[in-house]
Amino acid sequence: MSDFFDDRILGMSAGNEPEGEFIPLITAEEEENMNNQSYPEELAILPLRNNVLFPGVVIPITVGRDKSIKLIQDANKGNKIIGVVSQKNQEVEAPEFADLHKIGTVAQIIRLLKMPDGSSTVIIQGKRRFEIVQPTETEPYMKAKVKLLQESKFSQKDKEMKVMFKTIKDLALQIIQESPNIPSEASFAIGNIDSPTFLVNFISSNMNADVSKKQEMLNELDIKKRVAMVLEHLTLEVQVLEMKNEIQTKVRRDIDRQQREYFLHQQMRTIQDELGDNPQEQDINDMGKRARAKKWNTTVEKIFFKELDKLGRMNPQGAEYTVQMNYLDLMLDLPWGEYSKDKLDLNRAAKILERDHYGLEKVKERILEYLAVLKLKGNMKSPILCFYGPPGVGKTSLGKSIAEALGRKYIRMSLGGLHDESEIRGHRKTYIGAMPGRIIQNIKKAETSNPVFVLDEVDKLGRSNHGDPSSALLEVLDPEQNKDFYDNYIETEYDLSRVMFIATANNLSSIQGPLRDRMEIIEVNGYTIEEKMEIAKRHLLPKQIKEHGITAKDITIDKRVLEKLVEEYTNESGVRGLDKMIAKIVRNRARQIAMEQEFSAKIVAEDLFTILGAGRGRTKYDNNDVAGVVTGLAWTSVGGDILFIESSITQGKGKLTLTGNLGDVMKESAVIALEYLKAHSQLLGLEQGVFDSNNIHLHVPEGATPKDGPSAGITMLTSLASVFTQRKVKANLAMTGEITLRGDVLPVGGIKEKILAAKRAKIKEIILCEKNRKDIEEIKPDYLKGLTFHYVTKMEEVLAIALTEQKVRNPKLVS
């Protein structure tokens, strides 16, 4: 609603007012006479398409429909009294009674004017409200029986109503005064109205509102409610008008200020040119001074001063000026040829690495080797290390420890989910919103050209239609190429050869081959139970105590409870889950302290159930009372574990059944084991017919867990040999190794984790391939106490060690 009066003056619609015509307003006495006048019970009904007629108000109407023209002509010849009703839908061309509102206004024709285009303009004045009671005719035009409606009277003693009427008049005058589209003559019309009721009708008719809103006001017979509706609408219009004027004033003020500033800038520039103190030239001179102090090569220096000259020829008011300034600022902020001094105290570095990370001996040795070479040579191309291992083992935090040991700045850049090549190489600076790549951005942030740069989650790089960021990393992570790394934004080469890049990954298979080939893969194995206990004692518990606002004397956890916590409440390679469990225990203690409850500082095993609930229990060695059950050693992503392989035999036709959610490799191992036994049945004193007359079922428990790999080969063969001979397997014995059809035993991986799992399960003897002896020698002797190792190369040796002469029962095998 832009204007209150909708371009109407004194009740005349713009464009329809007869030239030179003035329509007078009524007085209070005329209004009283009009209300007392009698009117016919049956009226001809004239539909109004886009207006509402109020009592006392004079409006012009242009009629063009045949029925309407006929109605006006007949009424003008007769008593000039008609009924005027608004249409519900303005689009209906031939309305019926259902298309009209029920309440309308009795009108008197004042004058009928014929227009040159054949239409007629009739000036009518509203008299009384009426309600359509019953339609009587529809042709040649609509007629209906009507009932005159009695409006509530206005009491001169009602002070509240007087105030409301005065407020309505003041608001109307304010709108007329502040709106540029309403002529000032309208204020005279409003000011000369002395009838409060007619004032409401006049404003209701002329206000800038839609037909439905005006019809609501016509329907309302209670003068108080109608006044409130008008007052609400006028108040809203005043607010909108004030807001509109305020916005226009502000826009005009801003435009004037911009024009003024432009002229002032032009004048100032002219004056400064005369005085030789131009701020644009001052900025260029300052950049030139900074550039001469930079340690960049001739090529970069030439590019910079060429771009600086271009800046001097640009208009400071143009958008390109800011782009050029940002580019030159970046060139000056980059640490060209600036390197931090390395701290090459290897003993100090070893202490830092030992302080921050327990275990990880091979990783620490490799880092110290790098520092040793750097100390002896003084300078070297930084290798690209890739720490590969399961989550939570400390790959990312190793980079921070390396940076501290070297005395270099530390930068971490997460690559997880990155799918845009420009994030690595940057955008061309000609594009709107162009930025350098994140490599260059982080080098700028580090303020040195040889930081420790951790590329986190390099295996989780994505690809999209914006390019392949892993391919863009090929140049970054190649020691032979990254001395000339090209960023699209700076448009020249930047030397990254002194940066120590460290990548981290959980899964090497998702890294493309050329990128993996550029990195030195260092496997970060999961922690053993013993290592997790030490990490919890040295790092996790003190950290959580500090973060939860309690002291070390408020809580202690002994070794036995920590072992139970690790084994029964966590199932992971790293220590993130263990850290969460310790945090729960410490929070429970913090709550007890805050609520001033009594407690014992020492956490016992029973407290774990109270705080954390039930654990998952441990897998332990069972017994050897049943033939065909053999204990194997398995490696999982969360550490080592033991598994049982069990076989049973029934009369049949030599069918082999495998169950337990086994993978293809494991199924092949079972087939190889059975074929080996068939080919070497004489070793066990078996007849060949035994294999053809009996069915074998081999099962690996925990069927919901997928299992695969060749390391259960000797375990499966021992299980089958035991069930065919019904000889018991040696007690407290476990084994791991791959087999071949010739009966050779091959080495397998994950030995450290498997051995520690066997020890936790109370295993006493372990059978391994001879080539795995070196893996055992790398394990700390403390972890091997109480274990006996048998190193073998042939399956005959395995069976000789594993099978006892004691039989479970006499075999009833069909030969």
Side-chain angles (χ1 to χ4, degrees), residues 516-750:
R516 187 167 63 245
D517 184 60
R518 283 164 166 77
M519 300 184 291
E520 179 181 342
I521 307 296
I522 299 176
E523 186 173 2
V524 184
N525 292 318
Y527 295 111
T528 65
I529 300 292
E530 292 76 11
E531 288 172 336
K532 289 182 181 180
M533 290 164 57
E534 285 295 324
I535 292 171
K537 181 180 176 182
R538 297 185 184 189
H539 301 285
L540 304 183
L541 184 58
K543 181 189 77 171
Q544 295 296 342
I545 287 173
K546 182 180 179 181
E547 289 182 356
H548 289 83
I550 65 176
T551 61
K553 67 180 181 180
D554 293 324
I555 185 170
T556 58
I557 306 177
D558 62 22
K559 185 177 180 181
R560 184 174 60 86
V561 178
L562 278 178
E563 183 178 4
K564 182 178 178 68
L565 181 64
V566 171
E567 286 195 330
E568 299 189 20
Y569 289 90
T570 63
N571 187 26
E572 58 178 350
S573 293
V575 292
R576 283 202 183 106
L578 179 59
D579 190 32
K580 294 174 184 176
M581 292 299 168
I582 292 175
K584 285 185 179 180
I585 295 172
V586 175
R587 281 197 300 271
N588 182 267
R589 180 51 44 85
R591 178 182 61 82
Q592 291 174 330
I593 295 172
M595 297 179 69
E596 299 181 355
Q597 298 176 353
E598 292 185 6
F599 62 86
S600 172
K602 185 177 181 181
I603 298 292
V604 297
E606 290 73 17
D607 294 331
L608 296 183
F609 178 80
T610 304
I611 300 171
L612 304 177
R616 61 184 176 88
R618 311 182 187 185
T619 304
K620 289 187 176 181
Y621 174 77
D622 193 1
N623 59 60
N624 65 337
D625 295 339
V626 181
V629 179
V630 186
T631 305
L633 299 177
W635 179 93
T636 69
S637 61
V638 294
D641 201 355
I642 68 169
L643 56 81
F644 300 103
I645 294 180
E646 49 192 41
S647 301
S648 66
I649 188 168
T650 57
Q651 293 185 4
K653 297 182 179 181
K655 179 182 177 183
L656 174 64
T657 303
L658 303 173
T659 56
N661 202 350
L662 309 183
D664 291 338
V665 177
M666 208 165 182
K667 290 178 181 177
E668 291 168 0
S669 296
V671 174
I672 292 170
L674 182 60
E675 293 300 322
Y676 175 80
L677 283 181
K678 289 179 180 180
H680 301 83
S681 57
Q682 72 278 3
L683 293 176
L684 301 174
L686 296 174
E687 296 294 333
Q688 192 66 35
V690 173
F691 301 103
D692 299 328
S693 305
N694 295 276
N695 292 337
I696 299 297
H697 188 151
L698 187 146
H699 177 66
V700 184
E702 298 187 22
T705 306
K707 311 168 192 73
D708 203 4
S711 63
I714 65 172
T715 315
M716 289 180 167
L717 195 147
T718 305
S719 175
L720 293 174
S722 173
V723 77
F724 274 114
T725 61
Q726 292 295 298
R727 290 162 62 182
K728 288 186 177 182
V729 178
K730 193 174 184 179
N732 297 309
L733 174 73
M735 59 187 72
T736 182
E738 183 179 355
I739 62 169
T740 68
L741 278 175
R742 295 176 297 170
D744 293 334
V745 180
L746 304 180
V748 292

Side-chain angles (χ1 to χ4, degrees), residues 318-366:
E320 294 159 346
Y321 185 84
T322 304
V323 174
Q324 190 74 357
M325 279 287 290
N326 292 337
Y327 171 75
L328 294 174
D329 278 335
L330 174 70
M331 294 287 283
L332 290 171
D333 290 339
L334 284 173
W336 301 88
E338 299 175 18
Y339 305 100
S340 59
K341 189 175 181 181
D342 291 329
K343 297 177 182 178
L344 300 176
D345 185 348
L346 268 63
N347 292 321
R348 172 181 171 275
K351 288 180 181 177
I352 292 174
L353 293 173
E354 191 64 34
R355 179 199 69 194
D356 294 343
H357 297 83
Y358 183 80
L360 308 179
E361 305 301 333
K362 288 187 177 180
V363 181
K364 294 175 184 175
E365 287 177 10
R366 178 64 187 87

Side-chain angles (χ1 to χ4, degrees), residues 427-486:
H427 309 79
R428 297 282 182 189
K429 72 174 187 291
T430 52
Y431 294 124
I432 296 174
M435 295 175 64
R438 291 173 64 181
I439 301 291
I440 293 298
Q441 288 182 45
N442 283 295
I443 292 293
K444 172 191 170 184
K445 190 187 301 182
E447 298 178 347
T448 175
S449 292
N450 64 337
V452 173
F453 203 126
V454 175
L455 298 169
D456 217 3
E457 311 290 358
V458 72
D459 57 324
K460 295 177 180 61
L461 281 170
R463 299 182 67 175
S464 70
N465 56 347
H466 298 290
D468 181 8
S470 61
S471 297
L473 278 179
L474 294 176
E475 182 182 9
V476 177
L477 299 183
D478 191 335
E480 298 299 325
Q481 297 181 32
N482 61 14
K483 63 183 177 64
D484 297 321
F485 173 69
Y486 186 90

Side-chain angles (χ1 to χ4, degrees), residues 633-634 640-642 752-762:
L633 299 177
D641 201 355
I642 68 169
K752 180 180 178 182
E753 289 82 1
K754 292 177 179 179
I755 298 305
L756 294 170
K759 186 178 179 183
R760 291 193 299 271
K762 309 303 180 185

Side-chain angles (χ1 to χ4, degrees), residues 45 64 446 594 614:
I45 304 300

